[in-house]
Amino acid sequence: MSNENLTREEAALRASLITVDSYDVHLDLTHTSAEFETYPVAVTVRFSAVPGSSTFIDYIHQSVESVKLNGVSLPVGQVVEGSRILLSGLRAENVLTIRGRSYFSRSGEGLHRYVDPADGRVYLYTQYEPADCRRVFPNFEQPDLKAVFNFRVTAPKGWVVSSNAELDREVEDPSDASISKRVFKPTERISTYITALVAGEYFAAFDTYTPASSVNSGPVPLVAYCRQSLKEHFDYQNIFTVTKQGLDFFQDLFAYPYPYPKYEQAFVPEYNLGAMENPGLVTFTEGYIFQSGADQAQLEGRANVICHEMSHMWFGDLVTMKWWDDLWLKESFADFMGHLGAEQANGFGQSWVTFANSRKAWAYRQDQLPTTHPIVADIPHLEAARQNFDGITYAKGASVLKQLVAYVGFEAFIEAARVYFRRFAWGNTTLDDFLAVLDEVSDRDVRLWAEAWLQTSGLSELSCQRVRDEDGSLSVRVRQVLPEGVPVSLGRPHLLKLATFVSEGGVLSPTGSLDLHLPAGVDEVLVALSEQEQALVGAADLLLLNAEDLSYAKVALDQASGLGLALEQVSSVEDSLSRGLLWGSLWSMVRDGRLEAAVFVQAVGRAAALERSATLLSNLLGQAQTAISAFSPLEDRQQLWDSLYKDLASALAGAAAGSDEQLILLRALLGLAAHSDLGVELARDLARGASESCEGFVAAAPGVAYNQVLGWKALGSLATRGLVGAQELDAARAFSPSAVAERGYAFAVAALPSAEAKEAAWRRALEDEGLSNDLLSSTAAGFQVGPDALRTGYRQAFFDFLLPVWQQRTGGMATRLIQGLFPAVDISEGSEADHPVLVATASWLAEHEDAPTALLRLVRELEDDARRALRVQAFNAASRP
């Protein structure tokens, strides 16, 4: 039976009945090669309970061999029901011992096993959030049942084995000298989802953090892990530097010492997330090991994530939400702190530019979906929790916290955090607990603020207009269009800055700014201006509302506020945050069908040679490609692809050797080569990096060396156009086996523009359950490129597999399949009202109203994306000269 989806009510009842003291966990990882699907597990749990009560423990298993409660063996066939083991007749104090076998994972959920194609070495790591610890060992899987964990792992003696706590001792196996048992010290009192294990033939680098901060933990051992085949690319010294600076910064900021005995960071393969805040053993995607070189935006992004996870040691690990409704209590804070730490502790001055232009774009998109939700969300069960690791919980939450800092002041905000940690250390909290602390340290009405921002959903839009009064004086009218369903009485307050610019000689120069306040409960305000402010606003050629990015809202530009100048001269604005905000407004207008995609693409093409921020350049090039592929009618795309390629090639020719701009432009051009004949020669040259030994620099980009990452990107583009075949791809894959080659090959063979290749890719994605998470995504991505006619025959099959896939695969793998294979749409086949894909989607939703809510949410979001694409394509078609 399927009973994995724990509900909030079930969790609350269980928490009212039991308190967990400790787990003794033993995993036997002696046999981990591919022929072994499972491994033995033994767990002893000590917990107190209401005498006579009944409950259950969670375990998603291959088999349960024995269950012993308080010395009495229970009949396995009677007490094991699906993923739950029933426990009745509990005493005040209980000891439960369970033995079973758990599956190795290929989905990144539970204990993931990876065999490196480069050298055959085995690598294991765990990933649990929100509730996959039960895939590894039996436990009470909910965040408010914290406990002390004692881990013991039997594994090959030469392996690295690590967990949350420090290693206590290693015990040799008396019968096999190649095997030993690692015994770890007890952990602090933590939740199940942040326990962790890493095991395998990892490369390890060591260092020690010696605090420079006034509030400190004392020396902390540092370790960084990666696969052996990646160690030549592993810049662990940079990682250690960021880590040390972050620990100094956060200990001082929070006035609370780092609360764990070590700080290890493992960069692991086929990871589903960016990173995970396991105390003492943080795990990261190995995508943060830069095999083809790193630009400043990538280094900033990694520092941001390191600081994000580090802040979780306090927000989330030390103090944890009671249930997933308050997931934002850790993720919104960590998202904010990641950017703050990247900037203030590590000197990345573009951090808040990235936040404004990229991170908030994620939030804006999510907040306009029909499935949007308040930051403090209603999470009735675990499936809903899994889906709320989204742009609302992370980026919108962090945006709103940024507003809160402006509202109550930075010092009050940090003092609230300090009180919060001291008061609730090692415990669990809710929104009310945090607001109570904020109330104590601030004279602002934080509960009204929370009601307006944390407990409503949707995206507001702000605009401003100059208004000339009868007496000739000038005012500014600020308007807010509230999201549907949010009454004006709950209108969100905004503290805003309005920046003014004048255009001189093709350069937009700032002339000043003024503070504006849109109070709660109104949707419009007319702001009277002083004489000096009237002069500023009256002379301005461009008005930038929400300068400094103090609020969360779309900002509309029009000709009166300087839309035309923004498009022509945005690159001349000196301040990168202002440029980012202007570009963000332009991109929102493209997505909303209020600015022609072609006009945006042309503006990006002009900016490509001028943009100085690596973050903005990377984002803009990605947005321009989306403007073409998703929002432009099919018949317009080729001209736009060619035009963009020419602009970027020109920019690349002028880029300094070895510069960030050079690397970013080269990567973008390789992607464009899949769509433009102009890129074929470049792609053929770069493809050599995947299929032969190449020394020296790329001819088109002196300073960039040939490498496998760029080589497989080039091969993917050539495969999409049918300019390489399966034989050439097979040879490249065999030339230098690696994770990069496996992912590149999976994409490229699926991208080949033939009916046979598409059918093979479809079957691999749906039928080969041995495909890992990464290879599944690469296969689906390859299937989706090339001529649309090759995929139209699979539309009905897509809707037929939705429910079976959701039932048979893990949530993560099912989501990858459904998102990866949802049919693309173009207005040549129909409008938003009658396109065959939307008709089929609506029909499926109507016929499956009782499907799992998480699946329904996913399909509705994909449907909305398709509707938006058709709506914007129609706008662009109607806007042709």
Side-chain angles (χ1 to χ4, degrees), residues 337-397:
M337 290 296 169
H339 289 85
L340 188 70
E343 180 201 40
Q344 295 195 12
N346 290 285
F348 287 99
Q350 298 290 300
S351 177
W352 291 112
V353 179
T354 304
F355 182 77
N357 185 256
S358 177
R359 201 66 170 173
K360 287 178 76 171
W362 177 33
Y364 291 163
R365 176 195 170 273
Q366 189 85 42
D367 217 6
Q368 294 176 87
L369 292 170
T371 56
T372 189
H373 56 85
I375 295 170
V376 180
D378 177 33
I379 306 294
H381 46 65
L382 287 177
E383 280 193 0
R386 189 180 298 276
Q387 291 191 312
N388 269 35
F389 290 82
D390 61 12
I392 304 298
T393 299
Y394 284 75
K396 181 179 180 179

Side-chain angles (χ1 to χ4, degrees), residues 29-87:
L29 304 178
T30 304
H31 302 292
T32 57
S33 54
E35 63 265 29
F36 292 95
E37 294 185 345
T38 64
Y39 54 93
V41 174
V43 174
T44 296
V45 192
R46 292 171 174 81
F47 64 101
S48 59
V50 174
S53 62
S54 299
T55 190
F56 59 90
I57 194 167
D58 306 289
Y59 186 29
I60 300 175
H61 55 272
Q62 189 265 348
S63 63
V64 176
E65 295 167 5
S66 65
V67 180
K68 184 178 288 188
L69 177 62
N70 297 325
V72 178
S73 295
L74 306 182
V76 171
Q78 296 178 26
V79 299
V80 178
E81 291 189 357
S83 64
R84 299 178 178 184
I85 300 173
L86 307 182
L87 308 172

Side-chain angles (χ1 to χ4, degrees), residues 291-292 666 682-690 692-701 703-711:
Q291 298 180 60
S292 65
L666 181 62
L682 177 69
R684 287 197 184 281
D685 182 36
L686 269 293
R688 295 166 53 215
E692 58 183 270
S693 297
C694 297
E695 296 183 358
F697 295 127
V698 176
V704 177
Y706 290 93
N707 61 74
Q708 194 178 45
V709 175
L710 295 176

